[in-house]
Amino acid sequence: MAADDGPITDWFPAWLFPSRPWEAPTKEKDHLSVIILNQPLTDIQTLKRVWHNSSYRVAADGGANHLYDCCSQAISKKPEEQKSEEVLSDLDVIIGDLDSLTETSQSYFEEATGGKVQVIRDRDQDSSDFTKALQHIRERRGGANNDIICMGGLGGRVDQGLSQLHHLYLFQKSPTYAEGRVYLVSGESLTFLLKAGTHRIHVREWAQAENEARDVFEKHVGIIPIREPSVISTKGLEWDVEDWATEFGGRISTSNHVLPDTEVVEIRATKDVLFTIALKGWPSDS
């Protein structure tokens, strides 16, 4: 790619999933919030990593029910078999119109947090529970260094999945991510919005102790122009492109591969595009 592509935005998504989440650096945790959406939480190991790497935790209405299901599985074990990092009960907020939240889930988190969890009923029918959760975090913890990772995305109904992608645009209108960045995690992938410009995506986690790069992601990636046509150039992929026009109804880049020796994927886009990359499976005891 050309050297005069303007400012470069760097991404370090591997740090969202540290190998030892309960030992994550305080600096990283202080600037990350997590939202649990009202979708089944199928990847508990990823959830554990994100949960313990976050300092503010919000459930969007029925998301608290799915989180409760995870907690109930952990606390059902014998005391000697329980691990503190498996009990994900230190929830800060439950927010939404609360038409899905069960009394059992609400009572559990109120008791588990000693009454500290906030239960906020917002009856606004012109916004979804996801919208309300994002707005709450932005009002409470907004700023360029405060990012949000959303768990349980892109599962279930197609209209809900498209709405979740819509929120990546809705809550990141600044070309410089002045409001903070938003990430969407599904059972198998991480998705985030690349604004028009040049981006360097660091796809390995650097382990200081071992002095080596760890694989956090699988090889599969996609670059999708949801909102409008774009022209993209890439570096570090198996099938790199240069000044490649992409749009719905035309050509789109899916099922591309990160090369085995690539540590940074470079992407230049003339208009906003979504970037999605497959997550690597974690050992069950991670």
Side-chain angles (χ1 to χ4, degrees), residues 134-193:
L134 284 165
Q135 286 177 334
H136 171 80
I137 293 175
R138 282 285 167 79
E139 292 170 0
R140 177 75 177 265
R141 295 164 59 88
N145 292 324
N146 290 285
D147 299 334
I148 303 171
I149 185 165
C150 310
M151 295 293 303
L154 303 181
R157 296 185 349 231
V158 171
D159 61 330
Q160 289 182 333
L162 291 173
S163 174
Q164 289 157 14
L165 296 177
H166 162 69
H167 280 73
L168 295 182
Y169 288 85
L170 184 63
F171 282 86
Q172 296 178 112
K173 293 184 177 180
S174 166
T176 60
Y177 304 94
E179 315 97 327
R181 303 180 187 188
V182 181
Y183 301 87
L184 189 63
V185 176
S186 65
E188 298 181 354
S189 62
L190 174 71
T191 304
F192 49 95
L193 179 65

Side-chain angles (χ1 to χ4, degrees), residues 80-116:
E80 62 272 18
E81 296 176 347
Q82 292 182 14
K83 297 180 181 179
S84 61
E85 64 268 15
E86 292 182 341
V87 183
L88 311 177
S89 58
D90 46 342
L91 185 62
D92 293 294
V93 173
I94 302 171
I95 189 170
D97 58 12
L98 306 188
D99 63 340
S100 300
L101 178 66
T102 66
E103 291 184 8
T104 300
S105 299
Q106 180 174 341
S107 297
Y108 170 78
F109 288 109
E110 287 176 337
E111 181 177 349
T113 63
K116 293 181 180 178

Side-chain angles (χ1 to χ4, degrees), residues 13-14 17 43 46 154 184-192 201-205 214-224 237 253-258 265 274-282:
F17 314 98
D43 190 343
T46 298
L154 303 181
L184 189 63
V185 176
S186 65
E188 298 181 354
S189 62
L190 174 71
T191 304
F192 49 95
I201 304 165
H202 301 253
V203 294
R204 312 288 181 193
E205 175 192 18
R214 293 175 180 158
D215 287 334
V216 176
F217 302 105
E218 296 287 3
K219 64 182 181 180
H220 297 96
V221 302
I223 306 168
I224 316 295
L237 302 178
S253 177
T254 62
S255 301
N256 209 332
H257 296 161
V258 178
V265 172
L274 289 179
F275 177 80
T276 184
I277 185 167
L279 287 170
K280 195 175 185 68
W282 320 110

Side-chain angles (χ1 to χ4, degrees), residues 1 199-203 221 223 234-237 240 258-259 262-267 275 277:
M1 291 187 287
H199 300 262
R200 289 168 44 88
I201 304 165
H202 301 253
V203 294
V221 302
I223 306 168
T234 68
K235 183 178 180 181
L237 302 178
D240 278 326
V258 178
L259 292 171
T262 295
E263 294 190 7
V264 179
V265 172
E266 297 186 25
I267 299 173
F275 177 80
I277 185 167

Side-chain angles (χ1 to χ4, degrees), residues 5 7-9 194-199 231 267-272:
D5 294 330
I8 295 175
T9 301
L194 303 182
K195 309 295 285 188
T198 302
H199 300 262
V231 177
I267 299 173
R268 184 184 68 224
T270 59
K271 298 291 183 180
D272 300 356

Side-chain angles (χ1 to χ4, degrees), residues 53-72:
N53 193 35
S54 305
S55 61
Y56 197 65
R57 302 161 180 130
V58 176
D61 198 351
N65 301 336
H66 297 291
L67 187 61
Y68 168 74
D69 290 340
C70 296
C71 293
S72 61

Side-chain angles (χ1 to χ4, degrees), residues 30-68:
D30 284 348
H31 300 304
L32 185 65
S33 300
V34 61
I35 295 175
I36 307 299
L37 299 174
N38 190 11
Q39 296 284 347
L41 296 166
T42 58
D43 190 343
I44 305 304
Q45 300 306 320
T46 298
L47 172 62
K48 284 163 54 178
R49 287 176 176 238
V50 170
W51 187 268
H52 294 288
N53 193 35
S54 305
S55 61
Y56 197 65
R57 302 161 180 130
V58 176
D61 198 351
N65 301 336
H66 297 291
L67 187 61
Y68 168 74

